[in-house]
Amino acid sequence: MDKRKFLKLTGLGSFGLIGTGLEPSYALDQKEYDDFKMRQTASKPHKQKFNMSGYAAPKIDTVRIGYIGLGNRGGGAIQRIVFLENVEVKALCDIRPEKAVNAKKKFEGTSHNPTVYSGSEDAWKKVCERDDIDLIYICTPWNLHAKMATYAMEHGKHVACEIPIAITVDDCWKLVETSEHTKKHCMMLENCCYDFFELLTLNMARQGFFGEIVHVEGAYIHDIYNSFFDKNTRYNLWRLRENERNGNLYPTHGLGPVAQVLDINRGDKMDYLVSMASNDFMLADRAHKMAVEDPDFKEFAGKSFRGNMNTTTIRTQKGKTIMIQHDVSSPRPYSRIHLISGTKGAAQKYPLPGRISQGHEWFTEEEYKVLEKKYEPEIVKRIGELAQKVGGHGGMDFLMDWRLIDCLRNGLALDQDVYDAASWSVISPLTEWSVANRSAPIDIPDFTSGSWKTNKPVDISLVTGGDTKVKS
């Protein structure tokens, strides 16, 4: 055995495997070692320190917020928050001074007077370290999410973070462990869970309209190909860099809503997945051409990028199946699919507007309107019309923000907890592994440590709370 292989093998001791009978009996090359490490990390045992599912943190009458990242998503978030009462924006942070300064101007004429932080890569830490902030709202590039969320919780702050909340299995575990240790909420801002048809079908599923749910599908099919190469769209071309990974890089828009329908982490859990990707037919060629024209793209020449289409299938502990797709390069119409198939009925949103069925044909438009009225969720009844006026992806962003603030103010459990954030986000690195291993199956970690068996489903009734006022 040469020294390099010996060191790799003995390095497995850091996993606590040597002497347990689980360690390999031969020297590992790099791929074998990486594969072994991924499998062990994905299936590692975890003793739950505190169950954050259903946890109601102490009430916060006025929620004081610090925003980190003021680009596309963060810029939209600060424009929505001014419509909510009982909130105070205390801090704005972006590595780009002009973004932070311009964001400050958005609050002129309001009751908010946030402090601006910028100019260094660690300026965000000062926001987390303040004593007068309750919630850190993170809208930065993906690779920063887990680090910032963990740091914020360690400094006594609740966290709301854009998607995905982590891009490695290890970081998903760190978020879970930190949330349990600090008893601070860690919510991933999966706004598609608050879209109107998704909320409607969740309510219908809860009331048994579809019968026993058998199969669900979701996707993120969105042609944002040109934006990857636009230096003005995203800081330091960060999204193009992320696409050097080959898997389902953005699973949660499609997965989040159907996971709630299946009561994932609250009665069922995702067991294992397999993932398959097509070749890349567009990104590498474009990167090569751009490198010839612009020196800023030279570092991307010769790189490999993810395949155009990724299809991932998941089986749950109770034998339900999930299909999730990802394609953000091909010139296709936008789709999240959102398919629900049960023993009594079905629903699907794309490519047509939302449709519902209890047989071989979709209900007529008139029949659909009757069902829509009958099963209208309480949150839509209360502020759905205003949400559509405020906007943010048709209003779902505002519904999400209102619900988050209302839960914090009333000391209610959040609709999405740290286990949801971790289990929905971990799909990305696991699909990378599966794609690289000829679509081999891999276990999905049980971040709840078995508490999924007794955790209660998300409460969508608004029987408690629901009193956060909005400004027209």
Side-chain angles (χ1 to χ4, degrees):
M1 184 184 302
D2 65 41
K3 182 178 180 181
R4 183 172 62 89
K5 288 184 176 180
F6 176 78
L7 290 174
K8 286 176 184 174
L9 178 58
T10 55
L12 294 173
S14 63
F15 293 94
L17 299 173
I18 300 302
T20 66
L22 294 175
E23 71 272 15
S25 58
Y26 57 89
L28 302 176
D29 63 24
Q30 186 64 51
K31 185 179 185 304
E32 289 173 325
Y33 178 77
D34 291 343
D35 290 349
F36 181 80
K37 179 180 177 182
M38 172 61 85
R39 283 186 176 276
Q40 293 302 319
T41 304
S43 60
K44 82 169 191 174
H46 169 66
K47 184 176 182 181
Q48 190 176 75
K49 184 177 180 65
F50 181 84
N51 189 1
M52 291 299 294
S53 182
Y55 172 64
K59 297 180 180 180
I60 307 170
D61 182 60
T62 297
V63 181
R64 301 165 298 178
I65 310 174
Y67 287 89
I68 304 175
L70 300 166
N72 297 330
R73 289 295 180 90
I78 61 172
Q79 294 184 61
R80 298 189 302 269
I81 201 64
V82 297
F83 288 91
L84 295 182
E85 295 188 0
N86 291 93
V87 297
E88 185 178 355
V89 179
K90 304 292 289 186
L92 300 168
C93 179
D94 197 286
I95 192 171
R96 299 159 292 185
E98 68 276 11
K99 288 288 185 181
V101 171
N102 288 336
K104 169 89 170 182
K105 294 178 181 177
K106 301 289 185 182
F107 293 96
E108 292 178 357
T110 73
S111 60
H112 305 280
N113 184 29
T115 303
V116 169
Y117 295 83
S118 188
S120 73
E121 292 185 354
D122 290 333
W124 60 272
K125 291 184 177 180
K126 296 180 181 179
V127 180
C128 298
E129 292 163 2
R130 287 180 56 156
D131 294 329
D132 60 347
I133 289 178
D134 306 299
L135 172 68
I136 298 294
Y137 201 111
I138 302 170
C139 302
T140 56
W142 303 345
N143 66 316
L144 300 175
H145 288 175
K147 177 171 66 173
M148 291 178 171
T150 301
Y151 193 82
M153 286 187 285
E154 290 172 343
H155 285 79
K157 312 299 187 291
H158 296 300
V159 170
C161 181
E162 271 296 343
I163 59 177
I165 203 166
I167 58 175
T168 70
V169 181
D170 281 333
D171 278 345
C172 287
W173 277 115
K174 288 177 185 176
L175 289 165
V176 168
E177 291 163 355
T178 304
S179 181
E180 291 180 353
H181 176 73
T182 61
K183 296 185 181 179
K184 292 299 176 182
H185 289 305
C186 183
M187 173 183 169
M188 186 170 64
L189 295 164
E190 184 37 79
N191 57 343
C192 292
C193 291
Y194 296 89
D195 207 351
F196 291 80
F197 187 72
E198 283 79 347
L199 286 168
L200 174 67
T201 52
L202 175 60
N203 194 29
M204 296 176 78
R206 287 289 173 77
Q207 298 187 45
F209 180 88
F210 302 111
E212 183 78 15
I213 307 299
V214 177
H215 175 76
V216 295
E217 297 180 8
Y220 188 67
I221 297 171
H222 189 188
D223 180 10
I224 55 174
Y225 173 67
N226 287 328
S227 72
F228 293 145
F229 302 93
D230 184 348
K231 292 185 285 186
N232 297 318
T233 299
R234 295 181 180 89
Y235 176 72
N236 196 30
L237 296 168
W238 69 263
R239 189 116 183 213
L240 180 60
R241 299 177 195 280
E242 290 291 352
N243 277 260
E244 293 176 26
R245 299 158 45 218
N246 191 14
N248 187 324
L249 306 187
Y250 208 61
T252 73
H253 274 340
L255 177 59
V258 296
Q260 289 190 334
V261 166
L262 290 176
D263 289 331
I264 296 300
N265 297 329
R266 298 170 174 84
D268 199 357
K269 77 176 186 72
M270 294 185 287
D271 190 9
Y272 65 93
L273 66 77
V274 296
S275 186
M276 180 179 292
S278 72
N279 285 350
D280 164 37
F281 292 92
M282 300 176 72
L283 287 172
D285 287 345
R286 178 75 173 270
H288 176 75
K289 292 176 182 177
M290 294 292 291
V292 174
E293 303 168 2
D294 187 337
D296 288 343
F297 288 91
K298 284 187 176 180
E299 64 177 292
F300 299 105
K303 293 286 185 67
S304 297
F305 292 88
R306 57 150 186 85
N308 283 51
M309 169 60 79
N310 178 282
T311 299
T312 298
T313 53
I314 301 169
R315 183 177 172 88
T316 76
Q317 185 71 31
K318 291 189 173 181
K320 316 294 182 70
T321 54
I322 306 170
M323 187 271 283
I324 305 294
Q325 290 187 324
H326 176 270
D327 184 352
V328 291
S329 302
S330 307
R332 294 178 55 183
Y334 181 89
S335 177
R336 297 199 306 271
I337 302 179
H338 191 66
L339 170 70
I340 300 169
S341 178
T343 57
K344 294 182 179 179
Q348 186 170 347
K349 184 175 181 179
Y350 298 93
L352 301 173
R355 293 289 184 265
I356 296 170
S357 169
Q358 280 191 324
H360 294 294
E361 297 180 353
W362 299 116
F363 287 127
T364 65
E365 185 174 349
E366 292 74 20
E367 292 170 327
Y368 174 84
K369 288 181 178 179
V370 172
L371 289 171
E372 186 179 33
K373 186 65 176 177
K374 178 180 179 180
Y375 291 99
E376 184 179 29
E378 187 62 31
I379 189 173
V380 175
K381 290 180 183 178
R382 296 195 190 187
I383 61 166
E385 185 176 349
L386 175 63
Q388 289 176 325
K389 291 179 181 179
V390 174
H393 294 94
M396 60 183 177
D397 293 354
F398 184 74
L399 289 174
M400 175 182 67
D401 289 343
W402 178 86
R403 177 63 172 162
L404 168 61
I405 297 301
D406 192 65
C407 287
L408 292 175
R409 288 191 58 253
N410 287 283
L412 303 175
L414 303 189
D415 296 341
Q416 300 172 39
D417 57 36
V418 70
Y419 308 118
D420 300 318
S423 60
W424 300 352
S425 295
V426 81
I427 299 305
S428 179
L430 295 183
T431 59
E432 289 182 69
W433 183 92
S434 182
V435 167
N437 288 275
R438 293 180 58 84
S439 303
I442 187 167
D443 290 343
I444 299 171
D446 175 15
F447 293 104
T448 74
S449 303
S451 67
W452 62 270
K453 299 173 185 177
T454 55
N455 290 340
K456 295 180 180 179
V458 175
D459 181 11
I460 60 174
S461 67
L462 296 191
V463 172
T464 55
D467 60 356
T468 297
K469 296 180 180 180
V470 296
K471 304 171 185 178
S472 59

